[in-house]
Amino acid sequence: MRLILVWTIVMSISIAHGQSDDQNLGISLNSDQQISMTGIDRFIGYDSYNQLYWVNKSTLYKSGSLGNFEFQELMLGPISHLDLQNPLTVLVFYRETNTLVFLDNRLNEKKRIDFNLIPEFPQVQWVFNAGSNRLWLMDQNSQSLWIYDTQKMQPIFRSPPLLNVEALKCRFNDCIAQTTQELIHLSLYATITKKETFIQGHLLDYNDGYVIVSQENTIFDLKSNQGLNFPEIRPENQINDLQLTQDFLYIYDSNVIRRFPIESIKQ
């Protein structure tokens, strides 16, 4: 992810939620914690135990109070996606070989699923933890989102076709899919619960309180209708990666991970 941050956010853009210019003045966020890191290709984020994960040269690293751990499986290709929702079962997906690896909290392999070998033969684009031995799978062949049971090794729910999906973010019980024209909200049964018109932006992350997107070279929270400014990040720098948790927004740029408290967004 490469997001160029503009020093002065121009919030007169017209977006699909009908914001007025007065609403789009934005809010400045200051970090309360900074960590300098080198040798990071991708910042993944922190799990619920405050353990830090990152990827460098196709190797996954984890560091924190439990110690330092790493996982590498070069035969599967580059790491495409990780899910940290359950720190005891970290999901590492390799799109190039259509394979998912399950890791324990010390990054030891527990099991793997080669989707090329299952009867439905999905071409998986994204995979997330859906809890209770289930996965969210976005299948490119059917262009639908599956709830997949890893014990029965079969899909138990499938969404209607979701055409032109550009981004997908999922939690245990719900998902948001971004297409070229809208944000589509889905329930834990893969049914569509809401659609919102959304163009010329990119879905970054969400939770109960926030939906964070990039739009016109800005970071924006759709729920509070606020543009987000980061005075500590120089205008010539790039935001390399971003993670939203319940209380913080983590941003990695120029070898620094900054933690921004986000409670002020809704004030």
Side-chain angles (χ1 to χ4, degrees):
M1 184 193 316
R2 294 283 177 179
L3 306 173
I4 301 174
L5 191 70
V6 176
W7 183 253
T8 303
I9 295 183
V10 181
M11 296 305 296
S12 58
I13 55 176
S14 174
I15 60 179
H17 289 254
Q19 296 96 327
S20 70
D21 291 344
D22 290 340
Q23 291 173 307
N24 287 330
L25 297 177
I27 184 170
S28 291
L29 297 179
N30 295 305
S31 67
D32 67 351
Q33 177 179 294
Q34 297 185 15
I35 299 175
S36 296
M37 296 282 291
T38 57
I40 295 182
D41 288 339
R42 289 163 54 201
F43 163 69
I44 303 303
Y46 288 86
D47 65 21
S48 56
Y49 295 106
N50 202 37
Q51 309 296 294
L52 171 63
Y53 298 74
W54 71 94
V55 171
N56 190 52
K57 301 185 187 305
S58 297
T59 299
L60 172 63
Y61 295 90
K62 174 181 178 178
S63 181
S65 59
L66 295 177
N68 300 313
F69 308 98
E70 61 183 75
F71 174 79
Q72 182 184 75
E73 180 53 277
L74 297 179
M75 295 296 292
L76 295 179
I79 295 173
S80 302
H81 174 72
L82 285 106
D83 188 304
L84 308 178
Q85 290 184 89
N86 180 359
L88 303 180
T89 305
V90 175
L91 305 183
V92 186
F93 178 58
Y94 298 84
R95 188 180 301 168
E96 189 174 279
T97 49
N98 210 26
T99 300
L100 178 67
V101 178
F102 298 71
L103 305 179
D104 66 16
N105 65 340
R106 294 178 179 269
L107 301 190
N108 298 307
E109 182 173 342
K110 298 166 67 174
K111 69 175 181 177
R112 67 177 64 185
I113 297 177
D114 184 346
F115 294 112
N116 300 301
L117 303 179
I118 68 175
E120 293 81 8
F121 192 64
Q123 187 61 42
V124 180
Q125 189 173 8
W126 290 286
V127 57
F128 294 87
N129 195 332
S132 302
N133 298 306
R134 297 178 178 184
L135 301 171
W136 295 99
L137 298 183
M138 185 66 202
D139 173 38
Q140 288 182 293
N141 295 331
S142 64
Q143 295 187 293
S144 63
L145 183 63
W146 299 3
I147 298 290
Y148 190 83
D149 190 309
T150 60
Q151 293 186 322
K152 297 178 180 178
M153 295 298 289
Q154 64 184 25
I156 53 176
F157 300 109
R158 303 178 197 236
S159 77
L162 305 173
L163 305 181
N164 303 313
V165 174
E166 297 182 343
L168 179 71
K169 299 294 179 180
C170 295
R171 304 184 297 177
F172 289 133
N173 295 322
D174 55 29
C175 287
I176 299 180
Q178 179 193 348
T179 71
T180 53
Q181 299 293 323
E182 57 192 355
L183 296 179
I184 301 174
H185 298 248
L186 299 109
S187 75
L188 75 166
Y189 303 108
T191 56
I192 295 174
T193 59
K194 183 171 68 170
K195 292 184 178 182
E196 304 175 83
T197 302
F198 182 77
I199 57 176
Q200 296 181 344
H202 187 76
L203 174 67
L204 300 179
D205 215 339
Y206 78 103
N207 59 25
D208 288 334
Y210 310 94
V211 177
I212 304 297
V213 301
S214 63
Q215 200 163 49
E216 293 290 330
N217 297 327
T218 72
I219 305 296
F220 198 86
D221 173 43
L222 293 180
K223 283 206 170 184
S224 66
N225 212 15
Q226 293 271 17
L228 308 181
N229 300 284
F230 306 97
E232 296 163 84
I233 301 178
R234 294 182 295 178
E236 65 270 22
N237 290 350
Q238 293 179 326
I239 291 178
N240 303 107
D241 295 295
L242 176 151
Q243 181 200 24
L244 174 68
T245 67
Q246 200 62 36
D247 301 308
F248 301 102
L249 187 64
Y250 292 92
I251 291 178
Y252 174 63
D253 94 291
S254 301
N255 298 321
V256 178
I257 301 169
R258 293 181 172 88
R259 187 179 76 173
F260 297 89
I262 54 178
E263 70 275 1
S264 60
I265 293 178
K266 292 193 173 182
Q267 292 179 0

